[in-house]
Amino acid sequence: MRYPDLIRFARDAATGNPLRASLLVFAMAIGVAAVVVLTALGDGARRYVMGEFSALGSNLVIVLPGRSQTGGFSPGNAITNTTRDLTIDDAQALQRASAVSRVAPLAVGTSEISAGGKLREVLVAGTVSQYIDVRHMRMAQGRFLSAGDWRRGASEVVIGAKVRDEIFGSGPSLGQLVRIGDRRFRIVGVLASSGQGLGMNTDELVFVPVSLAQAMFNSNTLFRILVEANGRDAIDAAKAQVAEIIKLRHEGEQDVTVITQDAVLATFDRLLGALTLGVAGIAAISLAVAGILVMNVMLVSVSQRTSEIGLLKALGATGSGIRWVFLTEASLLSLTGAVVGYLLGQLGAALIRQLYPTFPAYPPDWAVFAGLATALVTGILFGVLPARRAAQLDPVQALSKR
C-alpha cells in the first residue's frame, strides 16, 4: 500500500466512528493541555521570582542579622539565630569598604498614618537617602529623604502612591503634615507606583529617616543592611569585605549572614526549575492514561473490523501493511489530540496572564515540544499491540466473522 493511500485509509477509518475518535482526541488533548498549563505556571513562578529579585537592585549584597547554620543562601535564611544586632554604626562602617558603592540601612515596623481626619495602617521603613539609588526606585513627585547625619534625621516622610491616594485623594500632598504614630512629619516626596513585589507592596510603604524609625519603635537595631557593590566584578570582594568589617566590629564573631543577589537568584532558579520539572512529570501521567485509552479503543476497533482486515489480506495486503494501517490511525488520532491540547493549553495560559497580568505564565519551549512528542510517541507505542493483533488475524477466519 502506497504511503498516500495508507494515510487516506487510516484517516477514513479514524473518522468512520466519530465518537471513538472524539474520545481519543479529547483524552490526549487533556494530557497535553495539562503539561502546557502546569509548566506555564511553574516556569512563570520562576520568571516572576527572578524578576522580583532583580528589581531589588543591581550588584546587591544583603546583610542579615544572625548566622545561618548552612553555607550559601536558602529561603530559610530569613529565620536566623541572632547573637548580636545590626546597628547604624555597623552600616556606617561598611561605607569604608573599597568595593562598596552605597550602603542603605533598613529598619521596619508598622504604625498608623493620619491626616485630614483619615487614618490607615502602614508599613514604615526607616532608611537613608541612598536607599532609592540602591533599590533603583523612582519618584512621582518631590524628592526622597535628604542626606545628612544618619543619627539625626529631619522630620520628613516619603509616601507610596496608594497611601497618597487614600489619604489625600486628588488634593495636593507635597508639603502636607501627617502624623505617624506619635510623631508629625512633613511629606517631601511621593514614590512612583510599582505595585507588589516579594510580598511587599511599595505603594503602601512610607519612608522616614532611620534614626526616627528606631525612636518610633523604641529599638536601636536594623532589619537589614543593603549594600551596593561597585560593579558585578566587585560583588565577591564586597561580600568578603562586608563580612570582615562586621566580624571585626562584633569582637571576632561571624554572627551575620551575608548573601549576594546572584546567590539568591541561583537558588530560587534551581528550586523553581525543579518545581517546573515536577509538575511536568505529574501532567505527563495523564498522557500515559490517554495512551492506555488509545490501546483499549484500538483493541476494540480490531475486534469490530475483523472482516475488513480479512478483506484487505484477501486482496493481497501483508501483515506489515496491516500493522502500518493501525499504527498510522493511532498516530493521526494522537497527533490531532496533541495539537488540540496544545491550543487549549495556550488558551489556558493566556487566561492566567489575563487574570494576573504581572505573572508571566508562558510555557517553556521544551515543555511544549516534550508534550507534543510524548503524546505522539505514547499513541504509537500503545498502538503497537492492537496493530500486531490485527496483522496476525487469519484472513479466512476474519472474513467469516460478521
Side-chain angles (χ1 to χ4, degrees), residues 299-311:
L299 285 173
V300 173
S301 176
V302 170
S303 64
Q304 291 177 342
R305 295 162 60 187
T306 52
S307 59
E308 177 185 332
I309 296 169
L311 179 60

Side-chain angles (χ1 to χ4, degrees), residues 154-176:
S155 296
E156 56 186 23
V157 61
V158 176
I159 62 176
K162 187 173 182 180
V163 175
R164 180 221 176 278
D165 292 340
E166 292 187 1
I167 297 295
F168 298 99
S170 59
S173 59
L174 287 182
Q176 299 294 321

Side-chain angles (χ1 to χ4, degrees), residues 37 147 314 333:
V37 172
L333 290 171

Side-chain angles (χ1 to χ4, degrees), residues 18-78:
L19 180 59
R20 183 190 69 195
S22 299
L23 288 174
L24 285 176
V25 168
F26 184 64
M28 198 62 70
I30 290 176
V32 175
V35 171
V36 173
V37 172
L38 289 180
T39 54
L41 287 172
D43 200 60
R46 183 186 65 83
R47 295 183 189 183
Y48 178 77
V49 171
M50 296 300 101
E52 292 299 322
F53 270 104
S54 297
L56 281 175
S58 58
N59 311 326
L60 194 64
V61 177
I62 306 171
V63 185
L64 299 82
R67 178 64 178 168
S68 173
Q69 298 302 313
T70 58
F73 171 79
S74 72
N77 281 348

Side-chain angles (χ1 to χ4, degrees), residues 211-256:
S211 58
L212 297 186
Q214 290 182 331
M216 288 173 58
F217 304 126
N218 193 26
S219 170
N220 62 353
T221 64
L222 296 177
F223 174 66
R224 298 286 186 268
I225 300 177
L226 304 183
V227 178
E228 185 180 41
N230 289 328
R232 293 200 64 82
D233 295 339
I235 290 178
D236 290 337
K239 178 181 178 182
Q241 292 175 9
V242 165
E244 184 62 24
I245 291 173
I246 296 295
K247 182 178 180 180
L248 291 174
R249 289 189 52 81
H250 290 192
E251 300 177 356
E253 293 291 334
Q254 190 67 50
D255 54 5
V256 297

Side-chain angles (χ1 to χ4, degrees), residues 113 122-129 131-132 137-146 154-161 163-164 168 173-174 176 178 180 185-192 202-209:
I113 182 172
V122 291
L123 183 64
V124 180
T127 188
V128 296
S129 60
Y131 182 85
I132 190 171
M137 302 173 75
R138 296 179 297 106
M139 300 297 300
Q141 297 176 339
R143 60 171 176 83
F144 199 65
L145 302 175
S146 58
S155 296
E156 56 186 23
V157 61
V158 176
I159 62 176
V163 175
R164 180 221 176 278
F168 298 99
S173 59
L174 287 182
Q176 299 294 321
V178 295
I180 302 176
F185 294 85
R186 187 174 299 277
I187 298 175
V188 296
V190 178
L191 288 170
T202 56
D203 294 346
E204 298 184 7
L205 279 175
V206 298
F207 291 91
V208 301

Side-chain angles (χ1 to χ4, degrees), residues 2 12 14 29 75 81 84-85 104 118 137 143 176 179 196 198 252 268 301 306 311 342 348 356 368:
R2 295 180 304 170
D12 293 340
N81 295 322
R84 190 187 299 267
D85 295 324
K118 296 182 179 179
M137 302 173 75
R143 60 171 176 83
Q176 299 294 321
R179 181 175 291 277
Q196 189 80 16
L198 292 176
F268 275 100
S301 176
T306 52
L311 179 60
Y342 167 75
Y356 306 98
V368 173

Side-chain angles (χ1 to χ4, degrees), residues 216-371:
M216 288 173 58
F217 304 126
N218 193 26
S219 170
N220 62 353
T221 64
L222 296 177
F223 174 66
R224 298 286 186 268
I225 300 177
L226 304 183
V227 178
E228 185 180 41
N230 289 328
R232 293 200 64 82
D233 295 339
I235 290 178
D236 290 337
K239 178 181 178 182
Q241 292 175 9
V242 165
E244 184 62 24
I245 291 173
I246 296 295
K247 182 178 180 180
L248 291 174
R249 289 189 52 81
H250 290 192
E251 300 177 356
E253 293 291 334
Q254 190 67 50
D255 54 5
V256 297
T257 300
V258 183
I259 60 175
T260 64
Q261 185 182 32
D262 289 344
V264 175
L265 291 174
T267 299
F268 275 100
D269 190 41
R270 289 194 299 270
L271 290 174
L272 295 173
L275 173 65
T276 302
L277 290 174
V279 296
I282 294 173
I285 295 175
S286 60
L287 288 176
V289 175
I292 295 173
L293 178 61
V294 169
M295 180 178 65
N296 290 335
V297 174
M298 294 299 292
L299 285 173
V300 173
S301 176
V302 170
S303 64
Q304 291 177 342
R305 295 162 60 187
T306 52
S307 59
E308 177 185 332
I309 296 169
L311 179 60
L312 286 174
K313 285 195 168 185
L315 292 174
T318 63
S320 175
I322 299 297
R323 281 196 298 270
W324 276 109
V325 166
F326 278 86
L327 282 176
T328 303
E329 181 180 346
S331 300
L332 287 176
L333 290 171
S334 298
L335 182 60
T336 302
V339 172
V340 173
Y342 167 75
L343 296 176
L344 289 176
Q346 291 287 8
L347 181 62
L351 181 61
I352 294 172
R353 295 194 300 272
Q354 182 69 27
L355 294 175
Y356 306 98
T358 60
F359 190 79
Y362 294 94
D365 293 338
W366 63 264
V368 173
F369 289 127

